[in-house]
Structures are given as structure tokens and as C-alpha cells.
Amino acid sequence: MNGRENTYVKQRAGAPSGFFATEAAGLRWLAAASADGGVDVVEVLDQDATSVTLERLDEARPSDGVDAAAARFGAALAATHAAGAPAFGALPPGASTYFFGPLDQPLTLPHVESATFGAFYTQARLRPVLERTRLAGRDADLAQRVCSAVESGAVDTWGASGEFVRPARVHGDLWSGNVLWTRGGAVVIDPAACGHHPLADLAMLTMFGAPGLEAILDSYAEAAHLPDDWREQLPLHQLFGWLVHLHLFGAGYAEPVSRALDASARLLGV
């Protein structure tokens, strides 16, 4: 981002068609939940084919401390998710293509909408990235077994009641670099927003850690009334992120992919 008075301009001349329209739409969709207690979102000031202009954020330690701000963020994230989406895979109004990854090499992924999580996650996330990463040996076999179990509905319900998972309004790329800390608390940037599983954002946060992470997670879990075994499910939701990192950045991410596959296979009993 380049500073310009009280704004930041994020730009790329060769960005894929619709990239910045999708980002702006995602930010506005997430911001629409802020009035009902959702997370604070960087404001979109302008957008065109090659850039998006955002408000400038002054990064600083939260005035009431990191843990208190983190707890507020966790509860606010639960409220954003509760705003919901029409379906798993549904894009924000004004977006027509789904992009994931860094500005210089974003992945375009299928736009698949589904009433069930498993069909969406396998068809629009796991299988498309697996086709690009081409795992070998045991990992390739595990990946296919995990995908088959997920696609068949193994994680479409959760909790003691067996309630069907509902599509949450997620940020979609909520690693710590996309959560900026200001005097007033956390503000999110750079989304890959869509209707997704509620654990998708928590899984991304835990991949690389974040300030006040445990306070975020505990506050979220309480506000969202997560089932007792939600932490055991995180590796399955991290699997997509680790596969993308393996595809984009190379073999250094092979071990995290293997760990996520092992944990996912244990969870699913495959």
C-alpha cells in the first residue's frame, strides 16, 4: 500500500479482472455487520479496475491493552459470522469472482454455492488446490480420503444436537497480517470474503498466531456457543490454507500439509 494523505491506495496494473471490485465488495459486506456488533473494517473510499483506495489506519497498541482488545475482537468476529450468508460459497454483493492469496499472485477459485459445507469445501476449495499442488504417496491418498469424507457430509453437522452448520459471513483470509491493531482495537483488511464455515477464520488465525490469540479464541467460542470439540476440528479448516501455501511458496509447507491431513483423517475416521 502507498500512503496518500489520509488514504492508502492498494494497486496493481495487471490485476485480474474484477479483483479490486471483489475486494471492495468484501470489505463493504463485512462492514455491514459492524452496526450489529461485528468487527471493525477498513473503509473503502474508492475503487477502480487497477486499485482500491482505503482509509489510512494508524497502527498502535490498543488503549486498553492487547488482551482486552483481543477479547472484544473475538466477540465481534462472532457477530460478523452470525450476520450469515445466503449459502456456502456465496460472494458479497457486487463480486462475481473469488480470489484468494497475495496481490502479486492471487488464485482464482471456482464460484460454487451449496446448502451444505462439505460440498462447497471440497468442490470450491480443497480439490481445486489439490489439482495444482499434486501431492504424492501417502499424502495424496489421505487427501482423497479426506475429501471424500467431507464431500459425503461427515462435517455438515456439529455439536451434541447434530445441528447443520450454517454459512457464516467470513473474512476468509484472516491471518494475523490482515488484522491491524489501532488505539481503538482491531480492524480487518484484505478479505477473501464469502459464505463459509464459522471455523474458517479461526483456523486461519491459528496458522501463524496473532496478538492476544487465546483471548480472541476464548471470547469467540463463548459468544458463538461453539461445540466442545471445536479445536479438534481446526486442522481440517487449516488444510486449505496450508495447501495454498504449498502451491504458492513451495516445499517448506509440505510438513504442515501432512500434519493437517493426519489430523483431519483422525477427525473423520478415515
Side-chain angles (χ1 to χ4, degrees):
M1 291 186 178
N2 297 315
R4 186 177 296 174
E5 298 180 352
N6 294 320
T7 67
Y8 277 116
V9 180
K10 179 179 176 179
Q11 57 191 343
R12 181 188 166 199
S17 176
F19 180 85
F20 288 108
T22 294
E23 178 163 338
L27 289 168
R28 291 176 174 130
W29 191 49
L30 295 172
S34 299
D36 294 319
V39 295
D40 289 333
V41 181
V42 68
E43 183 181 359
V44 178
L45 302 176
D46 197 10
Q47 170 265 315
D48 58 30
T50 60
S51 69
V52 61
T53 302
L54 308 168
E55 67 171 319
R56 180 195 293 271
L57 297 174
D58 295 322
E59 294 186 69
R61 180 180 174 82
S63 58
D64 57 349
V66 171
D67 283 346
R72 290 201 314 276
F73 178 68
L77 185 62
T80 296
H81 288 177
F88 291 101
L91 298 179
S96 59
T97 307
Y98 188 80
F99 300 99
F100 185 88
L103 176 60
D104 60 346
Q105 49 183 337
L107 297 179
T108 303
L109 293 170
H111 176 199
V112 173
E113 295 192 13
S114 174
T116 60
F117 169 69
F120 155 72
Y121 192 43
T122 51
Q123 296 170 21
R125 298 293 181 268
L126 294 181
R127 292 195 190 279
V129 181
L130 282 167
E131 289 173 1
R132 306 179 198 200
T133 53
R134 301 187 184 280
L135 299 179
R138 179 176 178 274
D139 281 353
D141 178 62
L142 268 184
Q144 292 309 312
R145 284 190 277 147
V146 165
C147 283
S148 294
V150 172
E151 195 164 21
S152 71
V155 288
D156 285 348
T157 61
W158 67 346
S161 67
E163 179 182 358
F164 274 88
V165 180
R166 298 178 181 179
R169 183 174 306 193
V170 306
H171 178 282
D173 191 12
L174 199 65
W175 72 289
S176 60
N178 287 338
V179 181
L180 301 188
W181 297 90
T182 71
R183 294 281 295 170
V187 183
V188 299
I189 63 170
D190 293 356
C194 69
H196 207 320
H197 197 288
L199 292 183
D201 280 342
L202 301 190
M204 196 69 68
L205 269 177
T206 56
M207 284 173 64
F208 299 107
L213 178 60
E214 287 304 313
I216 295 172
L217 298 178
D218 289 345
S219 179
Y220 181 98
E222 181 178 357
H225 307 291
L226 292 184
D228 292 341
D229 66 345
W230 67 270
R231 287 181 184 264
E232 297 170 25
Q233 300 182 41
L234 289 180
L236 176 63
H237 300 278
Q238 292 173 339
L239 181 57
F240 166 70
W242 289 129
L243 285 168
V244 169
H245 278 75
L246 178 61
H247 169 66
L248 292 177
F249 307 121
Y253 289 96
E255 185 176 344
V257 167
S258 293
R259 289 199 305 265
L261 282 169
D262 285 339
S264 298
R266 287 194 299 272
L267 173 71
L268 298 166
V270 298

